[in-house]
Amino acid sequence: MEKTDKYIKLIKEYSKNNCLKVTRPPEGRLAYPYLVPGAACYESQLWDWDSWLTDIGISQIMSDNGEDKAFYSECEKGCIRNFAQNTDEYGRMPILVMPDKIMPSFDEEGITNIHKPCFAQHMAFITKENGGSAEWTREYLPAAKRFLKYYFDNFKHESTGLFFWQDDFAIGVDNDPCTFYRPPRSSASIYLNCLMYKELKAMEYLLNCLGEDADIYKTAAGNLKSTVNEHMWDERNGFYYSVDLNLMPIEPDKFLHSGMPRHWDCVIERIDVWSGFMAMWAGIADEKRAERMVHENLLDKRTFNAEYGVRTLSKLEKMYRIVESLNPSCWLGPIWGISNYMCFRALINYGFVEEARVLAEKTIQLHGGAIEQSGAMYECYHPDTGAGVSNLGFQSWNFLVNNMIAWYEGRNVIKEF
């Protein structure tokens, strides 16, 4: 407890002194103030899910310190405005916007991965924090609608109804073995589908706030929840997995197929990745399944449960590896601030209070120890020693430790939509 209390004070002081250092003024294609992840290698870069999650953490810090959000409000809304302004007529919203270019460029022919499904969630978060006043979003909803239509038209599997990545380019969880080095359009990621479910719910919320018809998004969310539970839940292991869509077409007349063509539309990839717990974060799992996920997977020290949190890949997987790496960043086992946070929120959602408390303490000691020893936080950490693995000075979603601290101390907690 003494150590935890000491690190809470360190984190609060560090966060108060550093959180607004991630704000940036308008420049070039970034016509509005915005947020960066906070390390030197990410200077002048507006990233999709980083900006959304960074905002949630900074909003907690500012609330804790009674700060006036007038200036900062322009930065959080600026993230929305910059992405909307750089979205093309087809709904292709960039993953990354820089002063002189976007990524992907959209100049190339063919379909590419785009912004992760968290654009409407970010708008919904800001709206909810402002008492449900959504009028400011009206200007950006056309871009959000085009953006979702692009996903539905280009990344939705007809037979299962699941969403898939085009390839492994900039998927956020860079080298997740369920997508990394796999054939194009073959990976229906549990991470992607959970984000999409919450994105559809966010669109429903925003349209309801504006008094507009939201039935199309409400129905789509319900359908996706059903299909995730049908195709991505594994009764044998009590866990949600990504699935493989890379199956040969059904040809009933083909020799050795004709007697019994396949009756399945996807195959579960039984690779234990932390993002399976996102089904609890998103509210897709039922109570019985959540119970199994926690007791059979999250708390298992052979697989996910580590000294400093939740391993991003089970220690029993042969791909498990703890190394410093950029492009791709290593998600093959290191602890990341965002995976700890989302698993923490998942536990809270289903009433696992003691387990959430323990995970909060581990995360506090992880980031607090880094600040004490190195003066800043890292992008990811060794699961068993807490040593920083890469990118000292990374802030981004690490600021969400403040939201965990607020819950731990019984104070008002700011959370994502």
Side-chain angles (χ1 to χ4, degrees):
M1 287 297 298
E2 270 184 40
K3 196 180 211 182
T4 299
D5 290 343
K6 177 179 74 169
Y7 286 155
I8 284 174
K9 290 177 183 176
L10 273 176
I11 290 168
K12 286 180 178 179
E13 181 181 5
Y14 174 85
S15 299
K16 182 179 180 180
N17 293 338
N18 287 278
C19 68
L20 293 184
K21 291 180 182 179
V22 303
T23 61
R24 293 292 183 274
E27 182 183 1
R29 296 188 74 127
L30 292 155
Y32 302 93
Y34 63 100
L35 305 173
V36 300
C41 63
Y42 296 115
E43 190 71 24
S44 302
Q45 295 185 2
L46 172 62
W47 287 89
D48 50 8
W49 70 319
D50 289 78
S51 58
W52 160 52
L53 295 160
T54 302
D55 186 17
I56 299 162
I58 292 179
S59 295
Q60 182 73 57
I61 297 164
M62 298 193 79
S63 174
D64 291 347
N65 291 286
E67 300 280 353
D68 180 5
K69 282 189 73 175
F71 157 73
Y72 178 73
S73 180
E74 291 304 305
C75 294
E76 61 178 353
K77 289 181 179 177
C79 296
I80 300 297
R81 292 169 175 143
N82 284 317
F83 279 122
Q85 186 178 69
N86 285 280
T87 300
D88 70 12
E89 60 185 302
Y90 305 107
R92 294 183 296 184
M93 186 178 291
I95 296 166
L96 166 65
V97 184
M98 292 176 276
D100 59 341
K101 61 183 177 180
I102 61 173
M103 185 185 81
S105 69
F106 302 144
D107 294 331
E108 305 164 5
E109 293 186 6
I111 299 171
T112 64
N113 288 339
I114 59 172
H115 191 295
K116 284 165 273 302
C118 57
F119 180 69
Q121 289 183 74
H122 197 172
M123 285 195 291
F125 166 73
I126 296 170
T127 297
K128 209 161 188 179
E129 284 300 298
N130 287 278
S133 177
E135 191 59 38
W136 73 277
T137 69
R138 199 180 292 277
E139 183 180 350
Y140 313 109
L141 282 173
K145 290 176 180 180
R146 295 197 311 274
F147 166 65
L148 283 171
K149 186 177 186 300
Y150 192 82
Y151 263 102
F152 274 74
D153 289 347
N154 294 282
F155 303 122
K156 186 181 179 186
H157 187 239
E158 183 177 352
S159 300
T160 63
L162 294 171
F163 291 87
F164 56 83
W165 297 117
Q166 171 64 25
D167 50 35
D168 62 5
F169 173 74
I171 61 171
V173 285
D174 293 9
N175 55 4
D176 174 353
C178 298
T179 304
F180 195 55
Y181 272 83
R182 287 191 42 77
R185 304 174 70 81
S186 68
S187 175
S189 161
I190 183 64
Y191 158 86
L192 171 61
N193 281 274
C194 289
L195 282 178
M196 180 58 77
Y197 173 72
K198 288 292 290 283
E199 187 78 347
L200 294 168
K201 296 298 289 182
M203 281 295 285
E204 178 189 353
Y205 166 77
L206 290 169
L207 291 171
N208 282 336
C209 286
L210 292 168
E212 296 187 12
D213 184 10
D215 283 353
I216 184 174
Y217 299 106
K218 180 179 180 180
T219 300
N223 290 340
L224 182 56
K225 182 176 182 178
S226 295
T227 201
V228 167
N229 278 311
E230 178 184 357
H231 295 294
M232 309 185 94
W233 170 256
D234 179 42
E235 183 65 22
R236 185 176 76 185
N237 291 352
F239 201 57
Y240 285 89
Y241 291 105
S242 297
V243 300
D244 178 13
L245 305 174
N246 192 28
L247 306 179
M248 297 292 289
I250 296 174
E251 299 173 313
D253 298 329
K254 187 173 182 180
F255 181 62
L256 293 182
H257 286 190
S258 58
M260 192 175 181
R262 65 173 169 85
H263 59 278
W264 54 93
D265 296 313
C266 61
V267 176
I268 283 180
E269 297 181 83
R270 287 190 177 91
I271 301 173
D272 285 334
V273 181
W274 76 273
S275 46
F277 298 111
M278 285 182 67
M280 291 173 61
W281 168 80
I284 289 174
D286 62 25
E287 299 287 339
K288 183 178 178 182
R289 289 181 176 181
E291 184 83 23
R292 289 195 63 191
M293 291 172 72
V294 172
H295 290 290
E296 296 177 27
N297 291 280
L298 188 66
L299 300 181
D300 190 342
K301 293 185 177 181
R302 301 171 306 156
T303 57
F304 290 110
N305 186 2
E307 189 68 24
Y308 286 89
V310 182
R311 296 185 180 94
T312 45
L313 185 69
S314 163
K315 196 173 183 179
L316 295 182
E317 297 290 352
K318 69 176 183 178
M319 297 80 73
Y320 181 81
R321 197 175 184 197
I322 311 297
V323 293
E324 181 177 5
S325 172
L326 289 174
N327 296 320
S329 298
C330 183
W331 292 77
L332 299 177
I335 300 288
W336 284 68
I338 184 55
S339 48
N340 266 14
Y341 174 79
M342 285 196 160
C343 289
F344 165 81
R345 290 286 348 146
L347 290 166
I348 296 296
N349 288 347
Y350 289 81
F352 292 95
V353 175
E354 178 58 21
E355 292 82 358
R357 184 190 64 77
V358 171
L359 184 51
E361 288 178 345
K362 289 180 176 183
T363 309
I364 290 163
Q365 293 183 22
L366 185 75
H367 292 312
I371 293 167
E372 180 181 52
Q373 295 169 25
S374 305
M377 297 180 283
Y378 287 86
E379 191 162 13
C380 59
Y381 300 84
H382 194 288
D384 301 312
T385 68
V389 172
S390 67
N391 216 355
L392 180 65
F394 183 81
Q395 291 172 196
S396 186
W397 46 58
N398 286 349
F399 281 136
L400 289 166
V401 68
N402 290 277
N403 306 64
M404 298 169 83
I405 290 170
W407 176 86
Y408 187 81
E409 294 183 332
R411 296 184 287 104
N412 178 56
V413 180
I414 292 176
K415 51 183 180 290
E416 65 278 15
F417 168 80

